[in-house]
Amino acid sequence: MKKLNKYLLTGSLLSVMLFLSGCMSTDKQGNPEGFIYEFLVVPTQDLILWLADTFNGSYGFAIIIITLIVRIIILPLNLSQSRKSLAQQERTAVIKPELDVIQAKQKAAKTNEEKAIAQQELMSLYKDNNMSMLGGIGCLPLLIQMPIFTAMFQAIRLSEPIATSTFIGINLGTRNIPLAIAAGLIYLVQAYVSMIGLSPEQKKQMKTMMYMNPIMILMFTISSPAGLGLYWLVGGFFGVFQTMLTNFYYKPRIQAEIAEEMKNRPKKERVIKQAEPISEQPKELTNKQIRSHSSNTDSGRNAGKQQRR
């Protein structure tokens, strides 16, 4: 299950990179064209230019406004995903003894049949307790940001006024390593805040995910114009606020709800069945064993004759 979560996240990130790199076509003269350009890049470019004109020509401030608008729009979805993930964690803590038994069966399974039975028991345990095999993790918020991310990237690259502008001394059209490092660090802070209050075992399970997201953001921003790095940096600060809201407002409520829900849940006894040892037959009998066996057989026959007499 953990591997499946990692594969889903990795696949989503690769999709972002693929969508970013090959989404826009050009004509014979090299001018951009096509659906993505007409319906995503041009409107985003126009919105940045309009906001910049509204705020005294600050393209950086225009990008910040767009970032906040996007994050506010997808905030309900992000909170919903966070609530599901927290509920999954609380249910997992309750069923841990039963989960340990099944996981021990999975490790001890040697045949395909035994593995299938253990997997079926795991699926049944999750179904009985209203849990998801995917761990409550969803990639939809990231996928929603893909077209915005792509449009922002191309709008900055193709618009000379945006690409040549500066914001607090940062050229928005060229990459900026300190800005990329700052964006990666703020997402690392968000990951750290999200792990506050978790058990050591849960922290150990989430360790890989904790570092994957900041590294991914660092890779994106270090190879992109600084204007896009600004998008991720502001989004990271908003993410910290969202995580704190989830941990300190929603989490206590979810813990109380799950505790009440799981109090009277039906519990099934799950016992590990040990395989019976198979005794090995001797490959060859010695002469002494043969004589002893023959003597016992003859004695039994003589006793039978005496009884008949």
Side-chain angles (χ1 to χ4, degrees):
M1 185 175 64
K2 297 175 188 175
K3 289 183 178 180
L4 179 59
N5 291 335
K6 293 178 183 178
Y7 291 153
L8 286 174
L9 181 58
T10 303
S12 298
L13 300 182
L14 289 175
S15 299
V16 172
M17 297 179 68
L18 180 62
F19 191 77
L20 177 65
S21 60
C23 63
M24 196 171 62
S25 58
T26 56
D27 58 19
K28 295 180 180 180
Q29 288 74 34
N31 299 316
E33 63 176 7
F35 177 84
I36 298 296
Y37 177 73
E38 294 293 338
F39 293 95
L40 282 180
V41 177
V42 172
T44 302
Q45 193 177 76
D46 292 341
L47 180 60
I48 294 175
L49 294 173
W50 178 78
L51 286 171
D53 290 338
T54 304
F55 295 101
N56 299 321
S58 177
Y59 293 98
F61 197 73
I63 292 172
I64 292 174
I65 294 296
I66 292 174
T67 305
L68 293 176
I69 291 172
V70 171
R71 296 306 295 256
I72 290 172
I73 289 173
I74 66 174
L75 179 61
L77 179 60
N78 280 326
L79 291 176
S80 175
Q81 294 287 339
S82 298
R83 286 174 62 87
K84 290 179 182 178
S85 181
L86 287 172
Q88 183 91 352
Q89 292 172 12
E90 295 300 320
R91 290 191 177 99
T92 301
V94 174
I95 68 167
K96 189 176 184 305
E98 297 170 77
L99 189 60
D100 289 343
V101 171
I102 296 176
Q103 288 176 342
K105 284 185 179 182
Q106 288 180 320
K107 290 181 180 179
K110 295 181 179 179
T111 65
N112 292 333
E113 184 178 359
E114 290 174 345
K115 293 177 181 178
I117 292 173
Q119 183 64 22
Q120 188 65 34
E121 287 190 27
L122 181 63
M123 294 173 64
S124 175
L125 177 64
Y126 273 71
K127 184 179 179 181
D128 292 343
N129 292 279
N130 194 25
M131 296 172 62
S132 169
M133 294 292 291
L134 299 179
I137 297 176
C139 300
L140 189 56
L142 179 61
L143 296 177
I144 289 176
Q145 292 186 73
M146 268 183 18
I148 299 147
F149 177 69
T150 303
M152 188 81 71
F153 177 87
Q154 299 292 359
I156 295 170
R157 187 176 69 87
L158 297 174
S159 174
E160 185 176 352
I162 302 174
T164 57
S165 65
T166 59
F167 179 71
I168 58 173
I170 300 173
N171 190 332
L172 298 179
T174 59
R175 64 177 184 171
N176 187 286
I177 294 178
L179 183 63
I181 294 174
L185 288 176
I186 194 62
Y187 277 88
L188 185 63
V189 170
Q190 180 190 2
Y192 176 79
V193 173
S194 68
M195 297 178 70
I196 294 176
L198 298 182
S199 65
E201 184 176 352
Q202 288 174 323
K203 289 181 179 179
K204 185 178 179 181
Q205 292 175 354
M206 295 178 64
K207 191 174 182 180
T208 303
M209 303 294 289
M210 175 181 177
Y211 294 110
M212 184 178 294
N213 198 33
I215 291 174
M216 178 266 295
I217 296 298
L218 177 62
M219 291 174 59
F220 279 172
T221 53
I222 208 168
S223 58
S224 303
L228 198 57
L230 185 62
Y231 171 85
W232 287 114
L233 181 65
V234 175
F237 278 105
F238 193 94
V240 172
F241 162 75
Q242 173 190 307
T243 304
M244 293 179 67
L245 178 66
T246 301
N247 277 1
F248 299 111
Y249 179 75
Y250 285 110
K251 189 172 183 178
R253 297 187 176 192
I254 292 172
Q255 287 176 329
E257 290 174 5
I258 298 302
E260 185 65 26
E261 175 188 325
M262 304 291 279
K263 187 184 298 183
N264 300 318
R265 71 186 181 92
K267 185 176 180 181
K268 298 180 181 179
E269 294 294 333
R270 306 178 192 274
V271 182
I272 302 178
K273 296 181 180 180
Q274 301 289 345
E276 296 181 0
I278 301 174
S279 58
E280 294 184 359
Q281 297 294 334
K283 295 181 180 180
E284 186 176 349
L285 295 175
T286 61
N287 292 332
K288 184 177 179 179
Q289 290 172 326
I290 294 173
R291 286 196 301 270
S292 175
H293 178 71
S294 300
S295 176
N296 292 336
T297 304
D298 293 339
S299 298
R301 289 175 181 175
N302 292 335
K305 291 177 181 178
Q306 290 175 2
Q307 289 177 359
R308 286 195 297 271
R309 289 177 184 178

